[in-house]
Structure formats: structure tokens, C-alpha cells
Amino acid sequence: MTAPGRRPRALLELIWSLALRQLYGRYIGSAMGIFWTVVHPLIMLAVWTFVFSYILKLPFSSDGGLVNSAFYLFCGLVPFLSFQETVQNCTTSITGNAALVKNLVFPSKTLQFSVGLASLISEFIGIGILVAALVLTRFQFPIYLPLILPFALLLMLFGIGLGFITCSLHVFFRDVAQLVNVMLMLWLYATPIFYPVHLLPRNLEFMIYVNPLAYVTNVYRSLLLVGTLPSLRGFLVFCAISLGTFVLGYRTYTRLFPRFIDEL
């Protein structure tokens, strides 16, 4: 039996090992293995940059340069893809690990935390790629890079909080996973990632103020590309939204968990 003092450490070690298993499990049998975590965002970046900057010629940057437009897109894609991955994988984490969840000794909440951690690691890989590109092309190192960490952690908690809710509902209604995918796709295009904010019609500008992901996107671009600090008020609001969603999701999961066994 684990001593009380060692239990938090044991849970952290379990979450870490589950997160690594998820990362390696995606690429088992592939020639490049985990290196795909680097290749995949680069390919996606190249495709979206070509479509939105070269073909549609959307003015992402003041100089209209293709390289700066790529940076602009990538800064928006990195946090959103991390959030999207967290919510999607959390949604199926219970039904996909039914044997573990039925074992009441297993701490099932570690599944959601490991999903969030795996997505966070992938996000940091993407940020590392972006920083390397900035140094190589602009000879510029983002001085506010360390401030990305609290926003990334809050975004992870926001995603896990929603994931707790969706995975609980998915146990009872198996269409939830498909609904989540559709909602995330709509959320993606409602977030100013593939288009500049100033191109939004005036009657749709409210989407920027009610969308936490729009705020995160702007913060990442400010910290990494522009070199300006976000407002304290905005940070506190995002902090409240993230922590509030996490607490709500955690309580929802805890309340519904006793009914999971009969449904799995």
C-alpha cells in the first residue's frame, strides 16, 4: 500500500508515464517515430500558409511577407491544436480505457491529466520550432517566451475541464465524441487564426470578446512575435474562466463517476 506522503508523487509519475505512452503510441511502427510530432505541425503550417497567404493573399502582417504570415498562423495554430487535442482525447478517455476504469483501484482521473500533459508537450515542441525559426530568419529571440508557460498551463486546465464534462457525457451518449469534433471545428474558424481580426464584420466582432481561444491566440502572438505584454485584467479573466471550467468539469466527473461502471 502506498504511503500517504508518496501518493501525490506516485500519481504524478503515473500521469507522466501515461502521457509518454500516448505520445509514443501514436507513432508505433512508423519509420520516423515520435519525430512526427515535429513534422506534422510543419506540414500543416506549410499548407495553411500556402492557402491563406499565397492563394487568398490575406494581409496577416504589415509587410505582407510570406514568412511573417507563416509565423502569424503558427502562433494561432499551436495553442488551438493543443486545446483541440486535449478535449478530443479526453472525450474518449473513459470509453477507450473501460478495463482500467472498471478497476476501482485505478485513479481514473489520471487519464484526463495525462491527455492534457501529452498535448502540452506537443505544444512546447511546436513553440520550440517557432522560436528556432524566429532566431534563424529574424535573428530575434522572444524575450517574453517564459511567460507562455502560465498561459499554456491555464489553457491545458481549460481543456481538461471541458474534457471532464465531455468524457462523462460520452459514457452515456456515444454521439458526444462526434458532436465535440463538430463544435471544435466551428470553434477553430470562429477564432482569428486564419484571418486577421480587422477583417471581421462589425456585427461579428463580439466573437473575439467571448472566445477564450481568441484571447490566447492574441497573447501568444503578442509575446512571441510583437514583444508586448498582455493586460493584467485579461489574464485574470482568462484565469477565472480556465479554473472555473476545470472545477466545474472535475465536480461533474466526480458526481457521475459512480454510474460509469454500469454503462461501460
Side-chain angles (χ1 to χ4, degrees), residues 6-18 110 117:
R6 287 183 54 84
R7 181 170 174 79
R9 180 179 177 182
L11 287 175
L12 289 175
E13 291 175 349
L14 177 59
I15 291 171
W16 176 254
S17 63
L18 288 173
T110 57
L117 180 57

Side-chain angles (χ1 to χ4, degrees), residues 19-216:
L20 291 181
R21 188 181 72 174
Q22 289 183 51
L23 287 173
Y24 284 107
R26 297 174 192 172
Y27 309 107
I28 289 177
S30 63
M32 292 193 297
I34 200 169
F35 188 64
W36 276 110
T37 58
V38 176
V39 175
H40 185 265
L42 286 177
I43 294 175
M44 181 172 293
L45 172 63
V47 171
W48 287 120
T49 301
F50 177 76
V51 172
F52 288 93
S53 297
Y54 188 75
I55 296 179
L56 298 181
K57 299 185 183 302
L58 293 180
F60 290 112
S61 57
S62 58
D63 63 356
L66 192 61
V67 172
N68 287 332
S69 297
F71 291 153
Y72 183 96
L73 282 169
F74 204 44
C75 272
L77 276 173
V78 166
F80 190 93
L81 291 179
S82 176
F83 171 79
Q84 180 184 58
E85 183 179 285
T86 298
V87 177
Q88 285 179 330
N89 291 343
C90 278
T91 300
T92 56
S93 61
I94 299 301
T95 55
N97 295 277
L100 285 175
V101 176
K102 287 180 180 180
N103 182 358
L104 298 181
V105 178
F106 178 77
S108 63
K109 294 186 182 75
T110 57
L111 292 171
Q112 289 75 34
F113 284 103
S114 66
V115 166
L117 180 57
S119 300
L120 186 66
I121 293 172
S122 297
E123 179 181 346
F124 285 161
I125 291 173
I127 292 174
I129 293 172
L130 175 64
V131 171
L134 286 172
V135 172
L136 291 174
T137 60
R138 288 186 177 182
F139 304 103
Q140 168 191 342
F141 184 86
I143 59 174
Y144 294 126
L145 177 63
L147 295 181
I148 287 291
L149 180 59
F151 287 97
L153 291 175
L154 286 172
L155 182 62
M156 181 185 72
L157 290 179
F158 183 42
I160 292 175
L162 288 178
F164 271 132
I165 296 173
T166 56
C167 77
S168 300
L169 296 176
H170 190 248
V171 172
F172 305 101
F173 310 102
R174 299 304 170 93
D175 290 335
V176 169
Q178 303 304 321
L179 180 62
V180 165
N181 291 337
V182 172
M183 295 304 296
L184 286 171
M185 181 184 67
L186 295 176
W187 202 338
L188 173 65
Y189 290 104
T191 304
I193 296 175
F194 304 121
Y195 50 86
V197 176
H198 66 266
L199 291 184
L200 276 176
R202 186 174 297 274
N203 61 335
L204 294 180
E205 288 181 351
F206 72 93
M207 294 192 307
I208 304 301
Y209 303 104
V210 300
N211 183 356
L213 274 299
Y215 171 74
V216 173

